[in-house]
Amino acid sequence: MVEPHSGAPTALVATLVRNRGLIRQLAWQEIAGRYRASVLGVAWMAITPLLMLAVYTFAFAVVFQSRWGGGGDTDKAKFAVVLFAGLAVFNLFAECVNRAPGLIVANANYVKRVVFPLELLPVITLCGALFHFLASLLVWVVASWLLIGPPPLTALLLPVVLLPLLIGTLGLGWLLSALGVYLRDVGQMVGVVVTGLLFLSPIFYPIDAVPESMRSLIRLNPVGYMVDVARGVLVFGTLPDPVGYLVALSSSVLLAWVGFWWFQNTRKGFADVL
């Protein structure tokens, strides 16, 4: 029999399966609550990424003359599509990680309830971020079709390609949410790190634009790697290297287990701190 607060992988699987109905219910509340009392409602899921896309495209494609190829209006359109794909993937990661340090603190009322599975909070956050990612992806498909043509067939492999990112992000969610209870400065540090990762990832520029001596540093960024391979299947019709993908998947599974183990072994002190 699996102990309720065990950090074993079997306990993680058992918790997710046993509480799948609760996850679905709370994830929907998370999504609906964000747009409650908003005049435009869920339309903001499409408006927000489009506004950010317009700002970044103007800044980098018009002001800084960034290109994913030669010059001309066609390449500006391609740059917008490529940029949108990269930002959508990165924002999926960033939304979960930025919220993680304050997740338990913001839901302190759940800590007092012994029967509530606190380990589900990062899962619910990830579900909400996935919903917004899917909305952005739908906008991207329409924009891509209109600007540069239909996406390649490899785009159907996106769920498989994103699996390491989802698993690793969940592991970071458990790790940072538990750490944020004891060290409130973690939230400030995470914000700075996520912003740094945004500009150290090949989102606004291709990896070939980085000086040769610095490319190895950029490739050490795991989020940048996931952005690159996801964009490859979405835009360029290229598949990730099997070895690199397996390394990313194995690393993300290890990170998820470590994060879950840490969460389960530190949760006993949450009530005392809060």
Side-chain angles (χ1 to χ4, degrees), residues 90 93-103 169 172-173 175-180 183-198:
F90 185 86
F93 163 82
E95 180 176 348
C96 296
V97 174
N98 278 329
R99 293 185 59 191
L103 205 52
T169 300
L172 279 176
L175 187 68
L176 293 173
S177 61
L179 195 59
L183 298 173
R184 302 299 171 87
D185 292 341
V186 170
Q188 305 298 327
M189 291 188 295
V190 166
V192 173
V193 171
V194 169
T195 301
L197 288 176
L198 173 64

Side-chain angles (χ1 to χ4, degrees), residues 16 36 44 129 169 177 204 207 232 236:
L16 295 178
R36 189 177 293 120
W44 281 110
T169 300
S177 61
F204 306 107
I207 191 68
F236 302 111

Side-chain angles (χ1 to χ4, degrees), residues 24 36 40 55 66 79 146 155 170 176 180 188 208 224 239 250:
R24 184 167 55 249
R36 189 177 293 120
L40 296 179
V55 171
S66 299
F79 181 86
L146 293 175
L170 191 55
L176 293 173
Q188 305 298 327
D208 295 338
L239 297 175
S250 302

Side-chain angles (χ1 to χ4, degrees), residues 23-96:
I23 293 172
R24 184 167 55 249
Q25 178 184 355
L26 292 179
W28 178 247
Q29 289 180 4
E30 161 92 5
I31 296 165
R34 182 174 300 190
Y35 302 104
R36 189 177 293 120
S38 172
V39 175
L40 296 179
V42 294
W44 281 110
M45 288 191 298
I47 295 172
T48 300
L50 283 175
L51 289 176
M52 296 306 299
L53 174 66
V55 171
Y56 282 127
T57 302
F58 174 77
F60 288 91
V62 178
V63 178
F64 294 110
Q65 298 293 311
S66 299
R67 294 289 183 275
W68 236 279
D73 293 335
T74 301
D75 290 296
K76 289 181 182 179
K78 183 178 181 181
F79 181 86
V81 170
V82 173
L83 176 61
F84 199 166
L87 278 177
V89 174
F90 185 86
N91 286 340
L92 170 61
F93 163 82
E95 180 176 348
C96 296

Side-chain angles (χ1 to χ4, degrees), residues 106-142:
N107 294 278
N109 56 315
Y110 288 148
V111 176
K112 308 297 181 180
R113 301 178 184 178
V114 181
V115 296
F116 186 84
L118 293 174
E119 64 273 16
L120 295 186
L121 292 176
V123 180
I124 293 164
T125 302
L126 179 61
C127 290
L130 263 175
F131 188 83
H132 292 99
F133 171 75
L134 291 176
S136 295
L137 189 62
L138 181 60
V139 174
W140 176 85
V141 169
V142 174

